[in-house]
Amino acid sequence: MELIDAIILGIIQGLTEFLPVSSSGHLELGKAILGAESLPEESLLFTVVLHFATALSTIVVFRKDVWEIIRGLFQFKWNEETQFSLKIIISMIPAALVGFFLEDFLEVFFDGAIIIVGIMLLITAILLYLADLAKTTDKGVSYRSAFVIGMAQAVAILPGISRSGATISAAVLLGVDKSKSARFSFLMVVPLILGKMAKDILSGEIDFAGDQAVAMGAGFIAAFIAGLAACTWMIKLVRQSKLTYFAIYCLIIGLIAIAWSIWG
């Protein structure tokens, strides 16, 4: 892998993990426009490295929250931190069930179905727009809302549905405070990323060559820095009700994708 390729892929991973534009949807569009063979076949190890970088950037941004949660858990009491952790676990259930039972079925949506990607991007645009219109509250995440937000995350497995966009929008539309919605959305994905990493590592399919070290390191740094910037920026945008800009972007790209599918 070329050094510049590793850096570019790292930046893309770091940005699209947090910005509500659907990285999987854009990947499918890239395959359709450029041809699947034009996209590099990256190693599983590199994917793990980039995922770790974005997980670490989330932990750094929310380091105070993470420390409070860890400290609260080790008090072994039914405190606020324990309850928050339980809500995170509840939010993971829908995505885990979908991944376990529907993995083969979902592969159909990652096979050049561009019109589906376009439609899903339109849905993402609508969700983001509605989230911006929602009234400001100081309500926190309940157990019920945690499960509903988790359902939104499960739906976001579809290419074109943004994970961060779907989960933050679901939370805000349920009446959760916008800052708390963003906080929960980003923290809830960390266990999933770490779980996916563990699965990939334990699969036995990871190969590492010494000449990959520099590229891996560059990709990690790029993904980490881009993730820090995107995560911090996204929190401000949600708080300031500026998701409409991303809604317009998803609307335009979605319409182009649909038009490409019909007339291209």
Side-chain angles (χ1 to χ4, degrees):
M1 182 192 303
E2 296 294 331
L3 183 63
I4 187 63
D5 292 336
I7 293 174
I8 292 173
L9 290 171
I11 293 173
I12 292 173
Q13 169 65 25
L15 292 177
T16 57
E17 183 65 48
F18 301 105
L19 299 183
V21 296
S22 179
S23 57
S24 61
H26 281 67
L27 178 60
E28 292 305 305
L29 293 177
K31 288 180 181 178
I33 296 173
L34 303 175
E37 67 280 356
S38 67
L39 299 180
E41 291 290 335
E42 302 303 334
S43 69
L44 181 59
L45 176 60
F46 189 62
T47 300
V48 171
V49 167
L50 295 188
H51 281 158
F52 179 62
T54 51
L56 185 60
S57 66
T58 307
I59 293 172
V60 170
V61 171
F62 293 99
R63 56 191 177 278
K64 293 181 180 179
D65 300 82
V66 172
W67 170 243
E68 289 296 327
I69 292 170
I70 293 174
R71 188 172 65 176
L73 286 174
F74 278 95
Q75 292 177 359
F76 301 104
K77 297 179 180 179
W78 187 244
N79 51 29
E80 183 178 342
E81 292 77 21
T82 302
Q83 293 177 46
F84 184 83
S85 299
L86 180 57
K87 291 170 186 176
I88 291 290
I89 293 173
I90 291 173
S91 73
M92 293 168 57
I93 294 174
L97 291 175
V98 169
F100 184 80
F101 290 106
L102 299 177
E103 182 176 5
D104 293 337
F105 171 75
L106 290 172
E107 288 181 1
V108 176
F109 296 98
F110 293 86
D111 191 26
I114 300 305
I115 192 168
I116 294 178
V117 173
I119 293 172
M120 295 300 109
L121 281 169
L122 296 186
I123 293 175
T124 295
I126 293 171
L127 288 173
L128 294 174
Y129 179 70
L130 292 176
D132 258 3
L133 294 179
K135 296 180 180 179
T136 301
T137 71
D138 59 357
K139 181 180 176 182
V141 178
S142 65
Y143 294 105
R144 173 182 169 275
S145 59
F147 186 77
V148 176
I149 296 168
M151 292 176 63
Q153 179 167 250
V155 173
I157 293 175
L158 296 172
I161 298 291
S162 162
R163 192 210 67 82
S164 61
T167 53
I168 292 174
S169 296
V172 170
L173 293 174
L174 288 169
V176 179
D177 171 78
K178 292 181 179 181
S179 294
K180 294 177 181 177
S181 296
R183 172 178 177 261
F184 189 81
S185 171
F186 294 144
L187 286 175
M188 71 186 282
V189 77
V190 173
L192 286 177
I193 291 177
L194 296 179
K196 179 65 166 60
M197 286 172 52
K199 179 183 176 182
D200 291 339
I201 292 172
L202 294 174
S203 68
E205 298 178 5
I206 291 181
D207 296 318
F208 177 72
D211 59 356
Q212 296 177 338
V214 175
M216 293 283 179
F220 175 88
I221 294 172
F224 177 72
I225 294 175
L228 283 178
C231 186
T232 304
W233 186 34
M234 189 62 182
I235 294 170
K236 292 180 180 179
L237 290 173
V238 174
R239 188 184 299 122
Q240 297 171 1
S241 297
K242 292 185 178 180
L243 294 178
T244 300
Y245 297 119
F246 290 102
I248 294 172
Y249 173 81
C250 289
L251 174 65
I252 293 172
I253 299 300
L255 291 174
I256 292 174
I258 293 172
W260 177 282
S261 178
I262 296 175
W263 295 293

